[in-house]
Amino acid sequence: MGDRIWRGLSLKDRIAAAEARRVSSLLARRTFVIDITGPASHPPDHNGGPPLEPGRSWRRFCWRKARKAAFALPPPEVWRRRLKQAQALGLTYEQLTARILDGERLTDQ
C-alpha cells in the first residue's frame, strides 16, 4: 500500500493525510480526553488533574466496599418479603434497605 499512494503527493498533502489517519485512529480508539470545563476553571499553574486531598481515594474505596456489602442481595425469601414491605410503604427496595440498616423500626400501616 505505502509507496504507490505517497508517490504523487506533495509533502504538505502527506502531512495532512498522516494527521487525518492519526485523528481517525484516536476517534476509533476513543483514548483522548475532552476538557469540558474550559481553561478558566483552574489557575494557570494547575495541570487539571484530580484533587490530591489526602485519604480521598481510601475513603472512596471504603465507602464503595461498605455500600456493596450493605446492599448485597440477601436470600430470596428475605428480599421478596422486603420488596412486598417496600411496596406497601411506598418505598423502593433500596430506600427500605437503607432504613433497615439505619436501625429504623418499620411497621405496615
Side-chain angles (χ1 to χ4, degrees), residues 50-99:
L52 299 176
E53 180 184 326
R56 182 171 184 232
S57 61
W58 175 248
R59 284 193 306 272
R60 185 183 315 151
F61 168 77
C62 292
W63 174 259
R64 286 180 179 168
K65 187 171 181 174
R67 190 176 194 291
K68 187 176 180 180
F71 286 98
L73 201 59
E77 56 273 359
V78 174
W79 66 258
R80 284 188 190 119
R81 179 175 42 83
R82 285 184 185 172
L83 186 60
K84 287 180 186 176
Q85 186 179 12
Q87 289 171 343
L89 294 171
L91 302 171
T92 65
Y93 179 82
E94 289 81 13
Q95 290 170 334
L96 179 74
T97 304
R99 288 185 177 192

Short mmCIF file of all heavy atoms in Angstrom, two decimals, residues 50-99:
data_model
loop_
_atom_site.label_atom_id
_atom_site.label_comp_id
_atom_site.label_asym_id
_atom_site.label_seq_id
_atom_site.Cartn_x
_atom_site.Cartn_y
_atom_site.Cartn_z
N PRO A 50 -6.85 15.35 39.10
CA PRO A 50 -7.77 15.25 40.24
C PRO A 50 -7.18 15.93 41.48
O PRO A 50 -5.97 16.07 41.59
CB PRO A 50 -7.89 13.74 40.45
CG PRO A 50 -6.64 13.18 39.90
CD PRO A 50 -6.27 14.07 38.76
N PRO A 51 -8.02 16.34 42.40
CA PRO A 51 -7.51 16.94 43.62
C PRO A 51 -6.70 15.93 44.42
O PRO A 51 -7.03 14.75 44.44
CB PRO A 51 -8.76 17.38 44.38
CG PRO A 51 -9.87 16.63 43.79
CD PRO A 51 -9.48 16.27 42.40
N LEU A 52 -5.66 16.38 45.07
CA LEU A 52 -4.79 15.49 45.82
C LEU A 52 -5.10 15.56 47.31
O LEU A 52 -4.21 15.61 48.15
CB LEU A 52 -3.33 15.84 45.54
CG LEU A 52 -2.91 15.70 44.09
CD1 LEU A 52 -1.48 16.15 43.90
CD2 LEU A 52 -3.10 14.27 43.61
N GLU A 53 -6.37 15.56 47.64
CA GLU A 53 -6.80 15.60 49.02
C GLU A 53 -6.34 14.30 49.70
O GLU A 53 -6.58 13.21 49.20
CB GLU A 53 -8.32 15.70 49.05
CG GLU A 53 -8.93 15.73 50.42
CD GLU A 53 -10.44 15.73 50.32
OE1 GLU A 53 -10.98 16.32 49.39
OE2 GLU A 53 -11.05 15.13 51.21
N PRO A 54 -5.65 14.38 50.85
CA PRO A 54 -5.13 13.17 51.49
C PRO A 54 -6.25 12.22 51.91
O PRO A 54 -7.24 12.64 52.51
CB PRO A 54 -4.38 13.70 52.71
CG PRO A 54 -4.34 15.16 52.60
CD PRO A 54 -5.33 15.59 51.57
N GLY A 55 -6.10 10.96 51.58
CA GLY A 55 -7.04 9.94 52.02
C GLY A 55 -8.31 9.84 51.21
O GLY A 55 -9.17 9.03 51.51
N ARG A 56 -8.48 10.65 50.19
CA ARG A 56 -9.73 10.66 49.44
C ARG A 56 -9.99 9.33 48.75
O ARG A 56 -11.09 8.79 48.81
CB ARG A 56 -9.70 11.79 48.41
CG ARG A 56 -10.98 11.90 47.63
CD ARG A 56 -10.99 13.16 46.79
NE ARG A 56 -12.25 13.28 46.12
CZ ARG A 56 -12.37 13.47 44.83
NH1 ARG A 56 -11.32 13.57 44.07
NH2 ARG A 56 -13.56 13.58 44.28
N SER A 57 -8.98 8.78 48.09
CA SER A 57 -9.19 7.53 47.37
C SER A 57 -9.45 6.39 48.35
O SER A 57 -10.23 5.49 48.07
CB SER A 57 -7.99 7.22 46.48
OG SER A 57 -6.82 7.08 47.26
N TRP A 58 -8.81 6.41 49.51
CA TRP A 58 -9.04 5.37 50.51
C TRP A 58 -10.46 5.44 51.05
O TRP A 58 -11.13 4.42 51.20
CB TRP A 58 -8.02 5.50 51.64
CG TRP A 58 -8.27 4.52 52.75
CD1 TRP A 58 -8.69 4.80 54.02
CD2 TRP A 58 -8.13 3.10 52.69
NE1 TRP A 58 -8.82 3.65 54.74
CE2 TRP A 58 -8.48 2.59 53.95
CE3 TRP A 58 -7.76 2.22 51.69
CZ2 TRP A 58 -8.46 1.23 54.23
CZ3 TRP A 58 -7.73 0.86 51.97
CH2 TRP A 58 -8.08 0.38 53.24
N ARG A 59 -10.94 6.65 51.33
CA ARG A 59 -12.32 6.80 51.82
C ARG A 59 -13.32 6.34 50.77
O ARG A 59 -14.31 5.68 51.09
CB ARG A 59 -12.59 8.26 52.20
CG ARG A 59 -11.96 8.66 53.51
CD ARG A 59 -12.49 9.99 54.01
NE ARG A 59 -12.36 11.06 53.04
CZ ARG A 59 -11.30 11.84 52.91
NH1 ARG A 59 -10.26 11.65 53.68
NH2 ARG A 59 -11.26 12.80 52.01
N ARG A 60 -13.06 6.67 49.50
CA ARG A 60 -13.96 6.24 48.43
C ARG A 60 -13.97 4.71 48.33
O ARG A 60 -15.02 4.10 48.18
CB ARG A 60 -13.53 6.84 47.10
CG ARG A 60 -14.51 6.50 45.99
CD ARG A 60 -14.12 7.01 44.63
NE ARG A 60 -13.65 8.38 44.68
CZ ARG A 60 -12.77 8.88 43.84
NH1 ARG A 60 -12.25 8.14 42.90
NH2 ARG A 60 -12.40 10.14 43.93
N PHE A 61 -12.79 4.10 48.44
CA PHE A 61 -12.71 2.64 48.40
C PHE A 61 -13.51 2.02 49.54
O PHE A 61 -14.29 1.09 49.33
CB PHE A 61 -11.24 2.20 48.47
CG PHE A 61 -11.07 0.73 48.71
CD1 PHE A 61 -11.25 -0.17 47.69
CD2 PHE A 61 -10.73 0.26 49.98
CE1 PHE A 61 -11.09 -1.53 47.91
CE2 PHE A 61 -10.58 -1.09 50.20
CZ PHE A 61 -10.76 -1.99 49.17
N CYS A 62 -13.32 2.54 50.75
CA CYS A 62 -14.03 2.01 51.92
C CYS A 62 -15.54 2.19 51.78
O CYS A 62 -16.32 1.29 52.11
CB CYS A 62 -13.54 2.68 53.20
SG CYS A 62 -11.85 2.24 53.62
N TRP A 63 -15.95 3.36 51.29
CA TRP A 63 -17.37 3.64 51.12
C TRP A 63 -17.99 2.68 50.11
O TRP A 63 -19.04 2.10 50.35
CB TRP A 63 -17.57 5.08 50.67
CG TRP A 63 -18.99 5.39 50.34
CD1 TRP A 63 -19.55 5.46 49.10
CD2 TRP A 63 -20.06 5.64 51.26
NE1 TRP A 63 -20.89 5.75 49.19
CE2 TRP A 63 -21.23 5.86 50.52
CE3 TRP A 63 -20.13 5.70 52.64
CZ2 TRP A 63 -22.45 6.13 51.10
CZ3 TRP A 63 -21.36 5.99 53.22
CH2 TRP A 63 -22.49 6.19 52.46
N ARG A 64 -17.34 2.48 48.97
CA ARG A 64 -17.88 1.58 47.95
C ARG A 64 -17.96 0.15 48.46
O ARG A 64 -18.94 -0.56 48.20
CB ARG A 64 -17.03 1.65 46.69
CG ARG A 64 -17.23 2.91 45.92
CD ARG A 64 -16.38 2.94 44.69
NE ARG A 64 -16.58 4.16 43.93
CZ ARG A 64 -15.83 4.56 42.95
NH1 ARG A 64 -14.80 3.83 42.56
NH2 ARG A 64 -16.09 5.69 42.32
N LYS A 65 -16.94 -0.30 49.19
CA LYS A 65 -16.93 -1.65 49.70
C LYS A 65 -18.05 -1.84 50.74
O LYS A 65 -18.76 -2.86 50.72
CB LYS A 65 -15.57 -1.96 50.32
CG LYS A 65 -15.41 -3.39 50.72
CD LYS A 65 -14.00 -3.70 51.12
CE LYS A 65 -13.90 -5.18 51.49
NZ LYS A 65 -12.55 -5.59 51.75
N ALA A 66 -18.21 -0.87 51.63
CA ALA A 66 -19.25 -0.96 52.66
C ALA A 66 -20.64 -0.92 52.04
O ALA A 66 -21.54 -1.66 52.45
CB ALA A 66 -19.09 0.17 53.68
N ARG A 67 -20.82 -0.07 51.04
CA ARG A 67 -22.13 0.03 50.39
C ARG A 67 -22.47 -1.26 49.65
O ARG A 67 -23.60 -1.74 49.68
CB ARG A 67 -22.16 1.21 49.42
CG ARG A 67 -23.55 1.48 48.90
CD ARG A 67 -23.58 2.72 48.03
NE ARG A 67 -24.91 3.20 47.78
CZ ARG A 67 -25.82 2.59 47.05
NH1 ARG A 67 -25.55 1.43 46.49
NH2 ARG A 67 -27.02 3.11 46.88
N LYS A 68 -21.47 -1.83 48.98
CA LYS A 68 -21.69 -3.09 48.28
C LYS A 68 -22.07 -4.20 49.26
O LYS A 68 -22.97 -5.00 48.99
CB LYS A 68 -20.43 -3.47 47.50
CG LYS A 68 -20.60 -4.66 46.61
CD LYS A 68 -19.36 -4.91 45.79
CE LYS A 68 -19.54 -6.12 44.89
NZ LYS A 68 -18.34 -6.38 44.10
N ALA A 69 -21.40 -4.24 50.41
CA ALA A 69 -21.72 -5.25 51.42
C ALA A 69 -23.11 -5.01 52.02
O ALA A 69 -23.86 -5.96 52.27
CB ALA A 69 -20.67 -5.25 52.51
N ALA A 70 -23.46 -3.76 52.25
CA ALA A 70 -24.75 -3.43 52.86
C ALA A 70 -25.92 -3.75 51.93
O ALA A 70 -26.97 -4.22 52.38
CB ALA A 70 -24.79 -1.96 53.25
N PHE A 71 -25.74 -3.50 50.64
CA PHE A 71 -26.83 -3.70 49.70
C PHE A 71 -26.69 -5.02 48.93
O PHE A 71 -27.31 -5.20 47.89
CB PHE A 71 -26.93 -2.53 48.73
CG PHE A 71 -27.51 -1.31 49.36
CD1 PHE A 71 -26.69 -0.31 49.82
CD2 PHE A 71 -28.86 -1.17 49.53
CE1 PHE A 71 -27.20 0.82 50.43
CE2 PHE A 71 -29.40 -0.04 50.14
CZ PHE A 71 -28.56 0.95 50.59
N ALA A 72 -25.88 -5.96 49.46
CA ALA A 72 -25.77 -7.27 48.82
C ALA A 72 -27.13 -7.96 48.88
O ALA A 72 -27.89 -7.80 49.83
CB ALA A 72 -24.71 -8.11 49.53
N LEU A 73 -27.44 -8.71 47.86
CA LEU A 73 -28.75 -9.36 47.77
C LEU A 73 -28.85 -10.49 48.79
O LEU A 73 -28.06 -11.44 48.75
CB LEU A 73 -28.95 -9.89 46.35
CG LEU A 73 -30.39 -10.14 45.91
CD1 LEU A 73 -31.19 -8.85 46.02
CD2 LEU A 73 -30.42 -10.65 44.50
N PRO A 74 -29.81 -10.41 49.73
CA PRO A 74 -29.98 -11.47 50.72
C PRO A 74 -30.67 -12.69 50.08
O PRO A 74 -31.00 -12.66 48.90
CB PRO A 74 -30.86 -10.81 51.78
CG PRO A 74 -31.61 -9.76 51.05
CD PRO A 74 -30.71 -9.30 49.94
N PRO A 75 -30.93 -13.74 50.86
CA PRO A 75 -31.64 -14.90 50.32
C PRO A 75 -32.99 -14.51 49.73
O PRO A 75 -33.59 -13.50 50.13
CB PRO A 75 -31.82 -15.81 51.54
CG PRO A 75 -30.76 -15.39 52.49
CD PRO A 75 -30.52 -13.93 52.24
N PRO A 76 -33.49 -15.30 48.76
CA PRO A 76 -34.72 -14.92 48.04
C PRO A 76 -35.93 -14.64 48.94
O PRO A 76 -36.68 -13.69 48.69
CB PRO A 76 -35.00 -16.12 47.14
CG PRO A 76 -33.70 -16.79 46.97
CD PRO A 76 -32.92 -16.52 48.21
N GLU A 77 -36.12 -15.44 49.98
CA GLU A 77 -37.30 -15.22 50.83
C GLU A 77 -37.21 -13.89 51.57
O GLU A 77 -38.22 -13.22 51.79
CB GLU A 77 -37.51 -16.38 51.82
CG GLU A 77 -36.34 -16.70 52.71
CD GLU A 77 -35.35 -17.67 52.10
OE1 GLU A 77 -35.56 -18.14 50.97
OE2 GLU A 77 -34.34 -17.94 52.77
N VAL A 78 -35.99 -13.45 51.91
CA VAL A 78 -35.81 -12.18 52.61
C VAL A 78 -36.08 -11.01 51.67
O VAL A 78 -36.83 -10.08 52.01
CB VAL A 78 -34.39 -12.08 53.22
CG1 VAL A 78 -34.16 -10.71 53.82
CG2 VAL A 78 -34.19 -13.16 54.26
N TRP A 79 -35.49 -11.01 50.46
CA TRP A 79 -35.70 -9.86 49.58
C TRP A 79 -37.11 -9.81 49.03
O TRP A 79 -37.63 -8.73 48.76
CB TRP A 79 -34.64 -9.75 48.49
CG TRP A 79 -34.56 -10.79 47.43
CD1 TRP A 79 -33.67 -11.80 47.36
CD2 TRP A 79 -35.36 -10.90 46.25
NE1 TRP A 79 -33.87 -12.55 46.24
CE2 TRP A 79 -34.90 -12.01 45.53
CE3 TRP A 79 -36.43 -10.18 45.74
CZ2 TRP A 79 -35.48 -12.42 44.34
CZ3 TRP A 79 -37.00 -10.59 44.54
CH2 TRP A 79 -36.52 -11.69 43.86
N ARG A 80 -37.77 -10.96 48.89
CA ARG A 80 -39.19 -10.93 48.47
C ARG A 80 -40.06 -10.27 49.54
O ARG A 80 -40.94 -9.46 49.24
CB ARG A 80 -39.69 -12.34 48.18
CG ARG A 80 -39.20 -12.89 46.87
CD ARG A 80 -39.85 -14.22 46.54
NE ARG A 80 -39.20 -14.81 45.40
CZ ARG A 80 -38.58 -15.99 45.42
NH1 ARG A 80 -38.55 -16.71 46.52
NH2 ARG A 80 -38.00 -16.45 44.34
N ARG A 81 -39.80 -10.64 50.81
CA ARG A 81 -40.56 -10.04 51.91
C ARG A 81 -40.28 -8.54 51.99
O ARG A 81 -41.21 -7.74 52.16
CB ARG A 81 -40.18 -10.73 53.23
CG ARG A 81 -40.91 -10.17 54.44
CD ARG A 81 -40.63 -10.95 55.72
NE ARG A 81 -39.25 -11.34 55.90
CZ ARG A 81 -38.30 -10.54 56.42
NH1 ARG A 81 -38.58 -9.32 56.76
NH2 ARG A 81 -37.07 -10.98 56.58
N ARG A 82 -39.01 -8.16 51.85
CA ARG A 82 -38.66 -6.73 51.90
C ARG A 82 -39.28 -5.97 50.73
O ARG A 82 -39.71 -4.82 50.88
CB ARG A 82 -37.14 -6.54 51.87
CG ARG A 82 -36.47 -6.88 53.17
CD ARG A 82 -35.01 -6.56 53.09
NE ARG A 82 -34.29 -6.97 54.27
CZ ARG A 82 -32.98 -6.95 54.38
NH1 ARG A 82 -32.23 -6.53 53.38
NH2 ARG A 82 -32.40 -7.34 55.49
N LEU A 83 -39.31 -6.59 49.56
CA LEU A 83 -39.90 -5.93 48.39
C LEU A 83 -41.38 -5.68 48.59
O LEU A 83 -41.89 -4.60 48.30
CB LEU A 83 -39.65 -6.77 47.14
CG LEU A 83 -40.08 -6.15 45.82
CD1 LEU A 83 -39.33 -4.84 45.58
CD2 LEU A 83 -39.84 -7.12 44.68
N LYS A 84 -42.11 -6.68 49.13
CA LYS A 84 -43.54 -6.50 49.42
C LYS A 84 -43.74 -5.41 50.47
O LYS A 84 -44.64 -4.58 50.35
CB LYS A 84 -44.15 -7.82 49.91
CG LYS A 84 -44.33 -8.84 48.83
CD LYS A 84 -44.93 -10.11 49.39
CE LYS A 84 -44.99 -11.19 48.33
NZ LYS A 84 -45.49 -12.46 48.89
N GLN A 85 -42.88 -5.40 51.49
CA GLN A 85 -42.98 -4.39 52.53
C GLN A 85 -42.69 -3.00 51.97
O GLN A 85 -43.38 -2.03 52.31
CB GLN A 85 -42.02 -4.73 53.67
CG GLN A 85 -42.14 -3.82 54.87
CD GLN A 85 -41.18 -4.20 55.98
OE1 GLN A 85 -40.27 -5.00 55.78
NE2 GLN A 85 -41.38 -3.64 57.15
N ALA A 86 -41.70 -2.90 51.09
CA ALA A 86 -41.37 -1.60 50.49
C ALA A 86 -42.53 -1.10 49.64
O ALA A 86 -42.87 0.09 49.69
CB ALA A 86 -40.10 -1.73 49.65
N GLN A 87 -43.13 -1.99 48.86
CA GLN A 87 -44.27 -1.57 48.03
C GLN A 87 -45.44 -1.12 48.89
O GLN A 87 -46.13 -0.16 48.57
CB GLN A 87 -44.68 -2.71 47.11
CG GLN A 87 -43.68 -2.97 46.01
CD GLN A 87 -43.99 -4.23 45.22
OE1 GLN A 87 -44.76 -5.08 45.66
NE2 GLN A 87 -43.37 -4.35 44.05
N ALA A 88 -45.67 -1.81 50.02
CA ALA A 88 -46.76 -1.43 50.92
C ALA A 88 -46.51 -0.06 51.55
O ALA A 88 -47.45 0.70 51.79
CB ALA A 88 -46.93 -2.49 52.01
N LEU A 89 -45.25 0.27 51.80
CA LEU A 89 -44.91 1.56 52.40
C LEU A 89 -44.69 2.66 51.37
O LEU A 89 -44.45 3.81 51.72
CB LEU A 89 -43.65 1.42 53.27
CG LEU A 89 -43.80 0.56 54.52
CD1 LEU A 89 -42.45 0.33 55.17
CD2 LEU A 89 -44.77 1.19 55.50
N GLY A 90 -44.70 2.30 50.08
CA GLY A 90 -44.48 3.29 49.02
C GLY A 90 -43.01 3.67 48.87
O GLY A 90 -42.70 4.79 48.47
N LEU A 91 -42.12 2.75 49.18
CA LEU A 91 -40.69 3.00 49.07
C LEU A 91 -40.07 2.08 48.01
O LEU A 91 -40.69 1.11 47.60
CB LEU A 91 -39.99 2.70 50.42
CG LEU A 91 -40.47 3.48 51.64
CD1 LEU A 91 -39.83 2.91 52.89
CD2 LEU A 91 -40.12 4.94 51.49
N THR A 92 -38.85 2.39 47.62
CA THR A 92 -38.11 1.46 46.77
C THR A 92 -37.40 0.46 47.67
O THR A 92 -37.27 0.68 48.88
CB THR A 92 -37.07 2.20 45.91
OG1 THR A 92 -36.08 2.76 46.76
CG2 THR A 92 -37.70 3.27 45.04
N TYR A 93 -36.92 -0.61 47.07
CA TYR A 93 -36.20 -1.63 47.84
C TYR A 93 -34.97 -1.03 48.50
O TYR A 93 -34.67 -1.30 49.66
CB TYR A 93 -35.82 -2.80 46.93
CG TYR A 93 -35.05 -3.87 47.64
CD1 TYR A 93 -35.71 -4.84 48.39
CD2 TYR A 93 -33.66 -3.91 47.59
CE1 TYR A 93 -35.01 -5.82 49.06
CE2 TYR A 93 -32.95 -4.89 48.26
CZ TYR A 93 -33.63 -5.85 48.99
OH TYR A 93 -32.93 -6.81 49.66
N GLU A 94 -34.23 -0.17 47.76
CA GLU A 94 -33.02 0.44 48.30
C GLU A 94 -33.33 1.36 49.48
O GLU A 94 -32.60 1.39 50.46
CB GLU A 94 -32.27 1.22 47.21
CG GLU A 94 -31.62 0.34 46.16
CD GLU A 94 -32.60 -0.15 45.10
OE1 GLU A 94 -33.73 0.39 45.02
OE2 GLU A 94 -32.25 -1.07 44.37
N GLN A 95 -34.43 2.13 49.37
CA GLN A 95 -34.81 3.03 50.47
C GLN A 95 -35.17 2.23 51.72
O GLN A 95 -34.78 2.59 52.82
CB GLN A 95 -35.98 3.91 50.05
CG GLN A 95 -35.63 4.95 49.02
CD GLN A 95 -36.87 5.64 48.46
OE1 GLN A 95 -37.97 5.08 48.46
NE2 GLN A 95 -36.67 6.85 47.97
N LEU A 96 -35.91 1.13 51.53
CA LEU A 96 -36.28 0.29 52.67
C LEU A 96 -35.04 -0.33 53.30
O LEU A 96 -34.88 -0.33 54.53
CB LEU A 96 -37.25 -0.81 52.25
CG LEU A 96 -37.67 -1.76 53.38
CD1 LEU A 96 -38.64 -1.04 54.30
CD2 LEU A 96 -38.26 -3.02 52.84
N THR A 97 -34.12 -0.83 52.48
CA THR A 97 -32.89 -1.42 52.99
C THR A 97 -32.06 -0.39 53.77
O THR A 97 -31.52 -0.69 54.82
CB THR A 97 -32.06 -2.01 51.84
OG1 THR A 97 -32.86 -2.94 51.13
CG2 THR A 97 -30.82 -2.71 52.36
N ALA A 98 -32.00 0.83 53.26
CA ALA A 98 -31.27 1.89 53.96
C ALA A 98 -31.90 2.17 55.32
O ALA A 98 -31.18 2.36 56.32
CB ALA A 98 -31.24 3.16 53.11
N ARG A 99 -33.21 2.19 55.38
CA ARG A 99 -33.88 2.43 56.67
C ARG A 99 -33.63 1.28 57.64
O ARG A 99 -33.45 1.50 58.83
CB ARG A 99 -35.37 2.65 56.46
CG ARG A 99 -35.68 3.97 55.81
CD ARG A 99 -37.15 4.21 55.71
NE ARG A 99 -37.39 5.52 55.14
CZ ARG A 99 -38.57 6.10 55.14
NH1 ARG A 99 -39.62 5.49 55.64
NH2 ARG A 99 -38.73 7.30 54.61
#
